[in-house]
Amino acid sequence: MITRGEIVDLLVRDGESLVLTESQCLRLTQAPTAVLELLAQPRSTADVETHLTTLFGSPPEGRLEEILAEMAEQGLVKF
Amino acid sequence: MSELTVHGLGTSVRVDLGEHIDPDEFATAWSRCLLDDAQTSASASTAQGATPVVPGGRSMTSLTQSITRALIEQRAGELLMLHAGAVCNPTTGASIAYVAPGGTGKTTLSRLLGSTYGYLTDETVGIEPRTWEIKPYPKPLSTRTPEGGYPKSELGPDELGLVRAHPHPRLTTLAILRRTPGRDCARISRFDLFDAITALVPETSSLPAMDRPLHLLADLHDELDGVWLLEFGESEQLNDWIDERLAGP
């Protein structure tokens, strides 16, 4: 399952967002914003993929894993 | 042992001057933050916890830094605290806070504006969420010696003849300073919401301790109708614009 990382606050405007952790404030584009919103509750990778496909269409091969890996690196999601 | 109570950001700390700080010099520099005995008792009787004691440093500059840290720590989670200078219209309380990293013009601008407007602080602006009332911290102004570098000298707002603030100043204009030496005129623009918050976050203290801090900054942005970027070379270039922002009945 995937869960949110240690996020202090998430501010969403027009599908994009700012996310604040204890150490940084990051600006996120639509896809990672949608991931964080979905992860208000823990979800499987398949749930995340379905959600993003519904919102934005099928992602290119490997793109979802790339997004999740970048988010994990920033401490925004945990596996 | 000489101990005094210093008030700022809507709270108090006791300061033990130790052996290196001259009490008279301290009292002059901190004249607008010192509580008298009666005020100290009242403050102690209403305080929820014990008033922290700041130990005396080896210099006024290091002591100022310790006092600031102690006051900030006291208000963590309660006030939105910005690394900023601020002045207010002494009649209406309308206030401008100008955010900038250390050494980039806050004190110089505070000294200049404080000769016309009420001096609130040159370093840390504490703002009450939702009411946007500023809790003044009229500390001494830390200025570098003519030789530059350290130690800085600490000059009290009364020594410098700065104007006293309105009793209930309220933030009405928020700006981020960007000083470029040699620039010959000011350029003033407005940030969009995300750029404003991204620029403000690194210049806050204890922000994650606040309740929904990004939403708080967004509310402030909306309340003030935006956050301004002031690009300038010399402080005087901002006078007219600040006069306009603080003017009013």
Side-chain angles (χ1 to χ4, degrees):
Chain A
M1 296 297 274
I2 310 172
T3 60
R4 275 191 187 180
E6 301 300 322
I7 290 172
V8 175
D9 198 9
L10 175 69
L11 178 72
V12 181
R13 290 286 189 276
D14 300 325
E16 299 195 342
S17 65
L18 290 179
V19 60
L20 182 69
T21 68
E22 287 290 339
S23 60
Q24 60 184 340
C25 180
L26 295 169
R27 188 170 187 157
L28 304 181
T29 54
Q30 290 188 339
T33 298
V35 171
L36 281 185
E37 286 189 294
L38 182 68
L39 292 181
Q41 297 167 14
R43 305 281 182 165
S44 67
T45 307
D47 289 338
V48 174
E49 183 166 14
T50 303
H51 183 63
L52 291 185
T53 302
T54 305
L55 290 175
F56 308 114
S58 289
E61 179 75 26
R63 181 62 188 136
L64 173 63
E65 290 72 16
E66 214 173 86
I67 290 171
L68 290 175
E70 282 172 22
M71 293 178 76
E73 200 176 317
Q74 301 286 355
L76 303 181
V77 299
K78 291 190 285 197
F79 294 96
Chain B
M1 185 176 79
S2 185
E3 205 173 87
L4 295 165
T5 301
V6 168
H7 188 78
L9 300 177
T11 189
S12 301
V13 293
R14 285 188 296 150
V15 179
D16 168 10
L17 296 184
E19 31 184 83
H20 299 287
I21 305 297
D22 176 354
D24 291 335
E25 186 188 350
F26 185 86
T28 302
W30 286 86
S31 56
R32 293 199 192 170
C33 294
L34 291 181
L35 298 184
D36 61 29
D37 290 345
Q39 290 169 315
T40 301
S41 305
S43 159
S45 65
T46 55
Q48 291 183 343
T51 310
V53 177
V54 179
R58 295 195 69 82
S59 69
M60 285 283 284
T61 301
S62 67
L63 182 54
T64 296
Q65 291 165 351
S66 300
I67 292 169
T68 301
R69 275 197 299 272
L71 291 171
I72 287 173
E73 209 169 282
Q74 289 261 91
R75 299 313 309 265
E78 298 172 348
L79 294 184
L80 171 60
M81 290 182 280
L82 301 171
H83 305 158
V87 294
C88 67
N89 180 318
T91 307
T92 66
S95 306
I96 178 171
Y98 29 94
V99 174
T104 56
K106 291 194 297 288
T107 296
T108 306
L109 191 55
S110 298
R111 195 167 169 172
L112 176 76
L113 296 175
S115 61
T116 306
Y117 296 106
Y119 171 66
L120 294 168
T121 187
D122 75 333
E123 184 164 321
T124 304
V125 176
I127 305 157
E128 191 90 53
R130 313 302 167 204
T131 67
W132 315 120
E133 186 172 321
I134 293 178
K135 299 298 182 188
Y137 178 35
K139 58 182 279 294
L141 292 88
S142 304
T143 53
R144 295 183 192 284
T145 54
E147 300 78 34
Y150 291 91
K152 291 178 173 180
S153 63
E154 307 283 304
L155 297 173
D158 287 321
E159 285 177 275
L160 294 168
L162 303 189
V163 175
R164 284 190 172 268
H166 185 278
H168 300 290
R170 198 173 70 87
L171 186 63
T172 51
T173 300
L174 179 57
I176 294 171
L177 300 182
R178 192 167 294 160
R179 180 170 180 264
T180 306
R183 188 183 179 103
D184 57 8
C185 66
R187 178 169 178 271
I188 294 165
S189 55
R190 220 185 304 222
F191 282 107
D192 76 15
L193 173 67
F194 278 10
D195 285 342
I197 293 178
T198 305
L200 288 171
V201 167
E203 303 304 333
T204 58
S205 291
S206 305
L207 184 66
M210 298 298 292
D211 180 37
R212 304 183 82 206
L214 295 179
H215 288 78
L216 180 64
L217 288 170
D219 289 348
L220 179 60
H221 178 274
D222 294 346
E223 172 75 20
L224 300 179
D225 199 21
V227 173
W228 299 87
L229 171 63
L230 310 183
E231 299 171 278
F232 66 107
E234 298 302 329
S235 298
E236 288 77 3
Q237 294 164 0
L238 301 174
N239 277 350
D240 290 347
W241 186 79
I242 289 172
D243 285 346
E244 254 174 55
R245 300 299 302 179
L246 293 183

